[in-house]
Amino acid sequence: MLLGGCQSGRVPVPGKIVSNNPCVDAVLAEIAEPNAIGAVSSYSQVSGSASAPLAWARQFPAIGSGAEDIIAAKPRLALIGQYGAVAALDRAGINYVAFGVPATIEESIAQVRAIGKLTGREASADRLARHIDDAAKVIVSRRPRSAIIWLSGGFVPGGGTLQDAMLGRAGFQNASAHYGLTAWSVLPLEALLKDPPDVIFTPVKAQGADARALGLRFRLLERLAKRPQIIPFSETLLNCGGPSIIEVMSLLRGAA
């Protein structure tokens, strides 16, 4: 299997840090020295799946999610997804640490600090962690408005998710429980039209079938006597925690 970076003629320099985890890439973009990075996830170089800035990610070779790419890169440290092929990395003697997608703001801050320690960038990680913590301070609202984050396919984050925590900290009441939803569930259009929340955070751009579904959503919502406030929301903001929390909280607070 070829390295993802080889496809563009760029091969990782051995002895550097590589990541095949786009959420880790987003943190590295904020705290790492560029000359310490050997490769980033191929997902970070595609606008629809990137959480790190594209211009930053495209400075580096890209690797895929397979162990072969990491082994061939010969890194001093690999930061990988939680479900990577770790047995192959163990056999190859690769120094690696696996990270999942944090489920809470506290986990996200801890992950930032952990990446900072692993990469020798503790001070930069501490600044980012404090920025996330400041952005996510709780707003107390006497009469919180109901809101949902309604994504393509009708997916809605409910209780126990990072997105639920951010809605609450921004002063909203997550309406997912009102519809009987838990964790990540699908909210049918009919249920939303029957009893819409005060605010809907939703993508306004999509492709193919998702674009047609979004168009139908907006046409039907515009006909409601009680029209909810619709706030454009990029789905890529929900791919990870980390620095994305800062941007999400700014958007949520601006609508509260």
Side-chain angles (χ1 to χ4, degrees), residues 30-160:
E30 297 291 329
I31 71 171
E33 290 284 0
N35 60 10
I37 306 299
V40 299
S41 168
S42 57
Y43 291 107
S44 291
Q45 299 193 351
V46 179
S47 60
S49 58
S51 291
L54 284 173
W56 176 88
R58 288 173 177 172
Q59 298 178 76
F60 309 107
I63 59 173
S65 57
E68 297 92 341
D69 282 14
I70 297 172
I71 294 167
K74 299 178 181 178
R76 69 173 178 85
L77 173 65
L79 303 175
I80 68 172
Q82 196 169 25
Y83 303 106
V86 297
L89 299 181
D90 287 332
R91 289 194 297 270
I94 298 295
N95 181 28
Y96 69 88
V97 178
F99 290 96
V101 178
T104 66
I105 291 166
E106 292 78 14
E107 284 183 18
S108 194
I109 289 173
Q111 190 175 96
V112 167
R113 294 189 189 280
I115 294 170
K117 185 174 182 179
L118 288 166
T119 59
R121 298 290 291 174
E122 291 95 333
S124 295
D126 182 63
R127 285 192 292 271
L128 176 58
R130 285 188 280 110
H131 193 181
I132 293 170
D133 189 46
D134 288 343
K137 293 294 185 187
V138 176
I139 291 179
V140 178
S141 177
R142 293 183 179 178
R143 300 181 66 182
R145 293 196 293 166
S146 62
I148 59 167
I149 297 173
W150 198 33
L151 305 179
S152 298
F155 286 99
V156 172

Side-chain angles (χ1 to χ4, degrees), residues 150 189 192-193 200-206 210-224 227-233:
W150 198 33
L189 177 61
L192 187 75
L193 294 173
I200 300 173
F201 297 94
T202 189
V204 294
K205 293 182 179 180
D210 285 339
R212 292 191 292 275
L214 283 177
L216 175 61
R217 280 187 194 180
F218 294 126
R219 289 194 297 273
L220 292 174
L221 288 170
E222 286 173 353
R223 298 176 185 174
L224 294 176
R227 290 181 59 182
Q229 181 182 6
I230 298 175
I231 307 295
F233 196 96

